[in-house]
Amino acid sequence: MPAPQQAPPIPGVATGSVVEPTLRVTDYASRTLEHPSLRPVKQLKSLAIETIVRNFRIYEDINLLPAQDVEAITSALTTAIHTDDATLESTVRSIHSEPYWRRCCLDRWQSCHPMMRVSSWKQTYLENHTRDLLEAYDQHTVGEFTLKKQLSVLVHFVHAVEVRQLLSHLSPVTVTEALPNMSVLKVHYGVQRALRMDYNRMLFGMQMPDATAWAQVLKQTESLTMLDLSGNLVDDDMARFMSLGLKDNMTITHLDLSHNKIGNRGLRQLAKALGPNSVLTNLNLCDNQIHADGGRYLGRALKANQVLIHLNLRLNRLADGGGCMDFLGGWS
């Protein structure tokens, strides 16, 4: 009599055999991915972190959380914070994580390198962002009030700014008043991109209203210590206006006016600002149009000056007579 046939095993049901079980551990792991009801529930901490990331702008300060939670939150945040003013403001207020700000710098600017040595990536990002705001500023599309509001978010972190082009000829008074903690400023009135057939002489160099505004800055500033206005086609008349503000300045120690068009008349006015009350320690007048008479003016001013340490007069036209008077004035 033939033996009765056994029914085929039901998938997913154990047969009771210890040697060859039907349901294996690997099968169970794959089934948990197929059936949502069998998937593990997320931890409450993970859900809380995801909620904070989605609603980041409503939180005042996340630094009260444990360091590992702050790191988890910042690693999930976007680095394109400059596209929205409100997002930038909340990020500046709440995020102090250097790895996050380093990631923001590397994602936004090619000039930033992972091996760069910086004291603060957050400060580096916000100073570069300030530079981009000033370089792209157009008074026809962005009002001055809006620019001041944007700069007010950065006020506590911006200490040094290098503006490579300022096509708008924005008044430096506006910039220094909006950034009262800034101590180093370099401004170049020119164009960064290649112009080719679009060349226009008016795009390059400082203008007389700019020189008047700089005179006001030099007279009023209480924080600016280093000012670089090299390569801006500053002439004698502009230098005369700027010297009026420099006479009353008590903070500028480094002034760079190299590669300009300052001649004897302009230097005569600048020399008057080098009196006994001057705090200027470094003055760069390299590559101007200074002749022998200019050396005489400087020599007379240096007789009463006790603080100037470094004076650069290379690539000028002092000749032997002007250089001798300058030297004798400095050593008298």
Side-chain angles (χ1 to χ4, degrees):
M1 181 176 180
Q5 296 182 355
Q6 296 181 353
I10 301 175
V13 179
T15 60
S17 173
V18 180
V19 181
E20 295 182 357
T22 304
L23 185 60
R24 303 178 185 275
V25 176
T26 55
D27 297 334
Y28 176 79
S30 63
R31 288 182 59 190
T32 58
L33 301 178
E34 298 174 359
H35 301 281
S37 60
L38 298 178
R39 295 176 184 174
V41 179
K42 289 185 178 180
Q43 294 183 354
L44 182 59
K45 178 186 290 189
S46 301
L47 295 174
I49 290 176
E50 293 178 0
T51 303
I52 294 176
V53 171
R54 287 196 302 268
N55 306 279
F56 174 73
R57 287 167 52 176
I58 68 175
Y59 295 95
E60 289 294 330
D61 191 359
I62 67 170
N63 297 287
L64 301 176
L65 300 174
Q68 57 182 1
D69 295 340
V70 174
E71 189 65 27
I73 293 172
T74 55
S75 62
L77 290 175
T78 178
T79 58
I81 56 178
H82 62 283
T83 57
D84 181 71
D85 292 341
T87 302
L88 178 63
E89 181 178 1
S90 59
T91 306
V92 171
R93 180 185 65 246
S94 302
I95 302 298
H96 306 302
S97 171
E98 282 294 290
Y100 172 75
W101 288 105
R102 177 177 178 271
R103 187 158 54 93
C104 290
C105 290
L106 298 179
D107 290 349
R108 184 173 177 185
W109 296 290
Q110 294 182 352
S111 59
C112 292
H113 191 272
M115 301 302 294
M116 286 177 58
R117 293 182 177 270
V118 297
S119 58
S120 170
W121 282 103
K122 182 175 184 178
Q123 180 179 340
T124 301
Y125 181 91
L126 297 179
E127 287 178 348
N128 288 349
H129 179 68
T130 302
R131 176 200 65 198
D132 291 352
L133 284 179
L134 297 177
E135 291 180 353
Y137 174 72
D138 185 355
Q139 60 269 31
H140 301 295
T141 58
V142 180
E144 189 171 308
F145 175 80
T146 303
L147 178 64
K148 288 182 178 180
K149 185 178 180 181
Q150 293 173 334
L151 294 178
S152 65
V153 178
L154 320 170
V155 62
H156 298 297
F157 301 93
V158 176
H159 300 279
V161 178
E162 178 182 352
V163 182
R164 300 165 299 185
Q165 66 175 23
L166 195 62
L167 298 177
S168 63
H169 287 268
L170 176 68
S171 173
V173 178
T174 302
V175 179
T176 54
E177 288 181 350
L179 301 171
N181 296 326
M182 182 172 55
S183 59
V184 180
L185 178 59
K186 179 178 181 179
V187 178
H188 179 67
Y189 293 89
V191 184
Q192 287 294 304
R193 64 181 178 87
L195 294 178
R196 297 183 176 86
M197 297 302 294
D198 298 331
Y199 174 81
N200 186 348
R201 167 63 181 77
M202 298 303 295
L203 296 176
F204 296 88
M206 187 186 297
Q207 300 176 4
M208 192 59 68
D210 301 321
T212 306
W214 280 112
Q216 185 177 349
V217 169
L218 291 172
K219 188 175 183 178
Q220 297 178 351
T221 182
E222 296 180 354
S223 62
L224 205 60
T225 60
M226 300 180 65
L227 178 61
D228 188 340
L229 296 174
S230 59
N232 284 314
L233 302 178
V234 178
D235 58 18
D236 289 341
D237 294 330
M238 298 178 190
R240 179 171 60 87
F241 275 101
M242 295 175 62
S243 65
L244 297 177
L246 190 60
K247 290 178 182 178
D248 301 324
N249 181 272
M250 298 301 294
T251 61
I252 297 289
T253 59
H254 292 67
L255 179 61
D256 191 342
L257 294 174
S258 61
H259 308 291
N260 281 300
K261 300 172 62 179
I262 302 175
N264 294 332
R265 291 191 301 111
L267 184 58
R268 184 175 187 178
Q269 300 301 321
L270 288 174
K272 294 179 180 180
L274 299 177
N277 296 326
S278 174
V279 297
L280 201 63
T281 59
N282 288 261
L283 177 60
N284 190 353
L285 295 171
C286 169
D287 190 20
N288 275 277
Q289 299 177 3
I290 303 172
H291 292 76
D293 289 341
R296 296 188 182 94
Y297 300 143
L298 273 178
R300 295 168 188 169
L302 292 177
K303 290 181 179 181
N305 186 285
Q306 301 295 325
V307 296
L308 191 65
I309 299 174
H310 185 269
L311 175 63
N312 190 346
L313 293 172
R314 295 185 303 111
L315 302 178
N316 279 287
R317 301 163 180 81
L318 290 173
D320 293 341
C324 181
M325 291 298 296
D326 188 16
F327 177 80
L328 293 177
W331 285 88
S332 62

